[in-house]
Amino acid sequence: MAPLLEIHHLSVSFQTPFGELQAVRDVSLTLHSGEVLAIVGESGCGKSVLCRSIMRLLPGNAVIKGGSILADGVDITQYSRQDMERLRGRLFSMVFQDPLAALNPALPVGAQIAEAVRVRLPRARREAVHARVLELMAQTGIEAPGQRCRLYPHQLSGGMRQRIVLAIALASGPKILFADEPTTSLDVTIQAQLLDLLRGLQRSLLAATVLVSHDLGVVARAADRVAVMYAGKIVEIGTADEIFYDPRHPYTWGLLRALPSRARRGERLYSIPGAPPSPLCPPSGDAFACRNEYALQIDYLQMPPMFPVSETHAAATWLLDERAPKITPPAIPGTSPAGEAPVLPPSPQEPPLLDVRQLSCLYRPHRHLRIQALDGLTFQLHQGEILGLVGESGAGKSTAAQCVMGLCRPSAGQIRFQGIDLRDPRACRQNRRLLQTSRQLIFQDASSSLNGRMSVAELITEPLQIHKIRPSKGSLREEAAFLLEEVGLDVSCLDQYPAELSGGMRQRVAIARALSTKPALLVADEPVASLDVSIQAQILHLFQRLQAAHGFSILFIAHDLSAVRYLCDRTGVLHGGRLVELAPTETLFHTPAHPYTRALLSAIPSPDPRRERARPLQAFDRTPPAPEEILTEIAPGHLVLKRREP
Amino acid sequence: MKTHCIYVCRNLLAFLLSLFLLSAAVFYAARLAPGDPLVSYYGDHAEKMTPAERLQAEERLGLHEPIHIQYLCWLRSAARGDFGISYKYKISVLQVIGERLPNTLLLGGVSLLLIFTLALGLGILCTLQEGRWTDRLLCRAGTVLSCIPEFWLSLILILIFSVWLHWLPSSGAYSAGHGGDPLDRAAHLILPLSIVVSGHLWYDAYIIRSRLLTEIRAEYVLLAKAKGLSRKQILLRHCLRNIAPSCLNRMALSVPHILGGTYIVETVFSYPGIGTLTYESARCQDYNLLMVLSLFSGMLVILCSMLAQICSERLDPRLRPAPEPPADVPAPSEQAAGRLKRRMAVKSPKPLPHRR
Amino acid sequence: MDPRFTLTGIRPAPPPPTPSRQRAARRPVPAAAMLAAIVLGCLFFPPFLPKDPSYLDLYHANTAPNAEFLFGTDAMGRDLFSMVWYGGRISLLTGFLSTAISAAAGILLGTASGLAPRWLDGLLMRLTEIFLSIPGLLPAILLQAALGKASVLSLSTVLGLTGWAEIAKAVRTEVRQLRGSAFVTASRCMGGSPFHILRRHLLPNFLPAILFMLVMRFRSAVASESTMSFLGLGLPLELLSWGSLLSLSERSLLSGAWWAAVIPGVFLAATLLCVTELGSGLQTAGQYGPSGL
């Protein structure tokens, strides 16, 4: 059977003021009818650009430098704008990462779907279009479409919005659907539902789907074939089983090894060293060579061609050349690390560093709106402990962090930090300096938490300057240089500005700044959520190393359960502003007691296609826990929200 | 329904209160300013009056009382619809204004219409042609035009079209004896109109252009494109619709600028309108006339700013409350925080280029 | 064995290229040069001018430009060439003074409003909005009419006081945005005092953003001054500025002396245009990335 789409040696560049940015370099692909092809890679590897260049959705400064895209045997790279407009919606359509941004905020969702329906049926009657809109909404799993079609995007939840975007994409019956990170902005439980929906639709309506994702778990659940991209090139392509169970490219090895879900606790998490090359001047040889432990001499000189491994599997690495030395690939750990003996909580004799009791926070963003962001949160954090708080968006994780940092005033309850009552303004005033130096906050987005008009040296030493602390290393600059080395950055960064650094480097600077006052408590609010897998592993590893060296405590807030599992001693699960379960991490992952925790755990996609395909989705209840449930200790250190037994 | 009533009542109350404050401010400022109102009433004769005559004259005009009593008197008669007589023209203030108002309304109204339609057209054209020579040329021409002071441009146009070419009249609203001739009026309108339009056109067109340029970079444009809509469809059905509330807001705010801004033109072209009247009344301490004119402009300003507020608050569905809470209860804080963020975003628009 | 196929492992990556802009941002060099010429001319020419600008040479009234009177003379026989340079001094000075007043008032009110609680912010911004919709020159004219005879200082004050609203609004928007930004929160967590935050975080971030507004304010002030002086409400005839120079030109026009209206106006318009160009060069908001449409 002829392939639906053939791409030959496609190269796409952007003309930027800094020079030519080579986003896609010499990519060849074929897309067959009836398959889901996943494209995996880190941000900036060109996976989105590849899809958008096929649909010609790129901004004006993008140029297709070479190659051809054959749709049903016709080259569409030469098509005019009008021709492409005719092709879009009918041949292919696209789903975007952020459904709120992708939908027009000022139009009801029904009207937006209807518009897409009319692309195919320009002269259809209103009733017919409306009926088709309702049918599409029902197909994408939206209940009560008659009412919902009149709503505006902001009145719907994230999952609903993404379903609307899907309905729009399907409206004119495309053959190929490009799904660009369709589940990244959603909570894990919704993510799994949407992936299953996508697979179902693929079977019934579509000829082929191209799924773009950075998340190997998502790919394992949904894809038939996988292409791994790095620095604008496809480095390995094959069926899902081949990629996950028999990877051949060192980059794929690294990606799979760097997943925190595969690391055993207490063991060093593997991280790919270095950072991807700049797309402004990609190296002449293999772009991955300078991060590759198995790099050959030739990798630095010459670009490797695609070496076929099997009929469906090929990888671009010189290691597959017959002249190359035979090396044994590194062992990629299985997905479920063996459980260890649960780490017992520290002895209760020692007073906790942070003692939070019955903390509630009522939040009134608007006169008519009251939100119980936190409801009776109770936990203790001991000296030198890493406590994780996980939950979906809106569970109150960030509010908890803000209360601890004194950025948000709780409405009830008690917080004691080193014995100081944080709700007592007098005590706070008396211990102001201590509180401000020994608690430090690390934000999710390092780029916005660093003032763009200050150099790295100024940024790192800002707390010292505020408190007029004498730097222990002599001058402020020497102190900044010391801290930079501490977080694994080069001293040459001192005079750079945040905009010149990469995401991972910025987060390191933020960590260095937090360390400058030698804090006792680090509150990290989703510190790795906006980073790529390989960088994430580096930062998690950094946290672990620094904690071991300095002995501070960390309150680690995340939605990513695998990161928590790797790093934290104990983990609490938040849901609807309440703590539903708190236990030593391994206990929590092996014997979750609360149904919400179980649902949350079951929803995490694991990078194991066979297991993923077999695993049914656990239905689960999104209603917040009932008020009559209370936290009960079912085992030493294991607290679960339960109905009081009569 | 109830919220609507409260909304209307609150705005009405604010409106009345601002009018009251404005009238008091103008009243006090005018009376406390240096200058002799008797001069405007009696002309040069006022300077030759004996103190007794002066006193008598002041009493007749009600100027002998303390200011707050004078103000109360004024308020009382104003409530009855009597705004007093103009000191300069010696006839009822309303009558003086009534004669001039149609002229200003004609000039202002036609320019408003022209400015808004042309601005919309230019804005869309520039967006469609972004970065190409049409856009660049229009931007350049607009900038140059908006830099030339109105009065000087008027002089140059008079020099060219009246003095050198003798095509168009250089002053007045109509030639003597041709008051009812529409063609004659039109000929007198051309020069003032082109000055008013050229002074404001680029400002509004630039706003529409920059809003549209920001809007077409929004991500929903990509989805609209992906579903197969054409460029024009996206621009007109999506982008233009979305910027409409904020543009209407801006336009409502610029109505007083355009109507009020006609007075430079009126002065240069000796066009008998409200603008020249305001300026005369301020110079001659013609209190009663000045009060009514200031109140009139104030009313216009406040009304338009309220209109602007309503445009931005009511037309944007993002700021309207949900008709019914959707059943799929999204995480409440996420939704609320999002709404709040958007609210803030709409309330604080980007700073715009300057108006002269 | 092929030596190229020996295992070498990780070698240090070549240093990433320093991002150097190939095409420099559009810099308004000609505009800056021309403005500098005009400003420097106004500052330093007057002492060396051969003619006294206030000398009424009635014999040479309405003379067309010639070798003696480079720009001709006006209806009262004054030398336009001298007048233009002298007049520029006052015009630019008025613009500068009133911009300083507007900037001080605007930054103060804007920062206050940006840092104020919501109700106060709402009130201040409502006031600013209303002020913004008042046609620019109207309050200035009324105020000046009330104040009586104008001087440079009084006119600058009047213009300055009527021009703060836009600056206040822009500053307030910036401050509100910055106030909610993560780096200000971070600084608050570290214990930064409000003054520290204002100095280290707010000011360096919003000053560049409003620099454009200040330049534009200067332009508006110069234009307003000349308009008011032209209408006879601003500076008196004997106090030479570009506006008061032009206030006589209406009469000159009818007598055919076009140069008296055109030449000072060209100077005025050229200055305004150069200032605008400079301002656009400073503006960051007007620069768009590539379009997706």
Side-chain angles (χ1 to χ4, degrees), chain A residues 223-293:
Chain A
D224 300 316
R225 271 202 316 145
V226 180
V228 182
M229 276 188 86
Y230 183 77
K233 290 179 74 80
I234 289 183
V235 294
E236 186 163 8
I237 186 165
T239 63
D241 286 7
E242 283 164 341
I243 297 290
F244 282 97
Y245 301 127
D246 183 25
R248 293 303 177 95
H249 197 278
Y251 177 62
T252 320
W253 296 340
L255 272 187
L256 289 169
R257 286 169 74 194
L259 288 174
S261 63
R262 295 197 168 193
R264 290 187 177 81
R265 241 193 71 73
E267 195 176 81
R268 197 197 140 146
L269 176 62
Y270 175 79
S271 59
I272 306 175
S278 156
L280 285 171
C281 59
S284 53
D286 184 0
F288 187 61
C290 51
R291 302 175 74 187
N292 181 5
E293 304 162 41

Side-chain angles (χ1 to χ4, degrees), chain C residues 116 145 161:
Chain C
L161 287 183

